Amino acid sequence: GYGLAAAHLVLDTAGAAITKRACRGTAMGPLNIGILRFGSAALMLAVIGILGKLCDRNNGRGTTSPWYLLPRTVETGKTAGFGEMTRENWRAIVIGTFFVTFLAPSLFLRSLLLMPLGIAVTLSCLAPLYEPVLAKILRGVDINLAGVFGTLLALVGVAILSIG
């Protein structure tokens, strides 16, 4: 998991640098970039899904839990069908998707175009500062001393990167 998280940071920073350089002097705004970004991601996921199905079919084994199914329910452990999803489930999915897939990238891309790359990328790493509070509000998880220490450590690290 740590290796994947480190790879995410490296690739995210590289993607931000490429985006900032490619969009310099163009009329592309955050929404244009977002359409290109998520459209290409959807195409890539479709290709990966088709290749995965073909590999499973050619190997003579079927997947017991394909990645494209709806999430498993907590109560039964089975994959939820569209009819089993409650209005609250769908509301949470729509709101979460709006924030994660549309609003956050749009704001990040706008900031990327308006400020130096280092500061924009550093500020995008502030999630550890508000995650414990969100976990308390959304899931009722208690904030422990390790969480507070980690948050302060993240704040110091972001401050050092922003100043330097």
Side-chain angles (χ1 to χ4, degrees):
Y2 291 108
L4 292 174
H8 167 262
L9 289 174
V10 169
L11 293 173
D12 193 45
T13 302
I18 292 167
T19 301
K20 184 167 180 78
R21 185 169 190 200
C23 293
R24 187 180 308 141
T26 70
M28 285 190 75
L31 296 179
N32 302 104
I33 296 167
I35 289 170
L36 182 64
R37 177 181 176 187
F38 293 113
S40 61
L43 289 174
M44 287 180 228
L45 283 173
V47 169
I48 290 169
I50 291 168
L51 291 175
K53 281 187 147 203
L54 290 174
C55 288
D56 282 345
R57 192 173 293 155
N58 290 339
N59 292 334
R61 55 173 201 211
T63 53
T64 56
S65 180
W67 61 271
Y68 51 81
L69 291 178
L70 289 171
R72 296 183 180 277
T73 61
V74 176
E75 295 83 19
T76 65
K78 297 179 183 174
T79 301
F82 281 103
E84 297 174 87
M85 300 287 284
T86 66
R87 185 174 290 219
E88 185 178 319
N89 295 139
W90 284 112
R91 187 179 305 124
I93 289 169
V94 168
I95 291 171
T97 302
F98 174 77
F99 282 123
V100 173
T101 308
F102 170 72
L103 190 59
S106 295
L107 293 174
F108 173 69
L109 291 168
R110 175 57 68 193
S111 72
L112 185 64
L113 298 174
L114 295 175
M115 60 182 17
L117 175 67
I119 293 174
V121 171
T122 302
L123 290 175
S124 74
C125 295
L126 288 175
L129 298 179
Y130 55 81
E131 191 280 330
V133 175
L134 283 177
K136 177 69 175 171
I137 294 169
L138 297 175
R139 297 187 337 219
V141 175
D142 289 332
I143 300 173
N144 59 25
L145 189 57
V148 172
F149 180 71
T151 299
L152 293 175
L153 195 60
L155 177 63
V156 170
V158 168
I160 289 170
L161 289 172
S162 294
I163 292 170

